[in-house]
Amino acid sequence: TKLTVHSISAVTLAVREMSRSVDFYQGILELPMLYGGPDADFTSFRLGEGYLNLILSVEANWSWWGRVIFYVDDVDLLYQRLIKAGVLPTTEPEDAPWQERYFHVIDPDGHELSFATPTGQER
């Protein structure tokens, strides 16, 4: 029998300071928190049909590992919200040849996040 992988259920990011990360993901990005919180060792947010988890790891020492890409309704609106909150994305919104408008930002623990909105028919 062939096994089919359908989707990613969750992404878990290691964080050094949970309260700072909860402020970023819940306060600025407005993700709904399902479990945990600023004083927890593990926090989970609803992200569409999946989850974004944060796990406290005070010993974590990482360098660039890749990026998580999130689809949002309006890339430009989110970009402006981040700027207004004092978060400086690493790129400005731009249209990509793969039919997405996107930008990148680094979260408080150095994780690279990309936010994109499909601009064409393909997805």
Side-chain angles (χ1 to χ4, degrees):
T1 314
K2 183 180 177 183
L3 174 68
T4 302
V5 177
H6 296 281
S7 65
I8 294 174
S9 168
V11 172
T12 301
L13 301 175
V15 301
R16 294 180 184 97
E17 187 180 320
M18 187 64 73
S19 61
R20 178 182 65 183
S21 294
V22 167
D23 284 346
F24 180 78
Y25 286 98
Q26 183 183 38
I28 297 173
L29 296 182
E30 299 180 355
L31 298 183
M33 185 170 41
L34 300 176
Y35 175 84
D39 299 321
D41 291 339
F42 184 86
T43 299
S44 185
F45 298 96
R46 171 59 88 184
L47 194 64
E49 295 181 20
Y51 306 91
L52 174 68
N53 302 319
L54 306 176
I55 189 164
L56 188 62
S57 179
V58 293
E59 297 178 19
N61 186 15
W62 52 82
S63 60
W64 196 83
W65 54 272
R67 78 176 53 101
V68 178
I69 302 167
F70 302 94
Y71 271 163
V72 297
D73 292 332
D74 188 329
V75 163
D76 296 288
L77 182 64
L78 178 56
Y79 180 84
Q80 291 304 320
R81 178 187 300 162
L82 289 170
I83 295 292
K84 187 175 182 180
V87 177
L88 300 176
T90 56
T91 63
E92 294 181 0
E94 66 178 275
D95 294 326
W98 54 86
Q99 299 185 352
E100 288 179 344
R101 183 162 176 79
Y102 73 99
F103 71 91
H104 302 314
V105 66
I106 305 297
D107 84 351
D109 283 279
H111 301 297
E112 186 174 35
L113 311 176
S114 182
F115 294 95
T117 300
T119 58
Q121 297 299 319
E122 297 180 26
R123 194 168 177 180

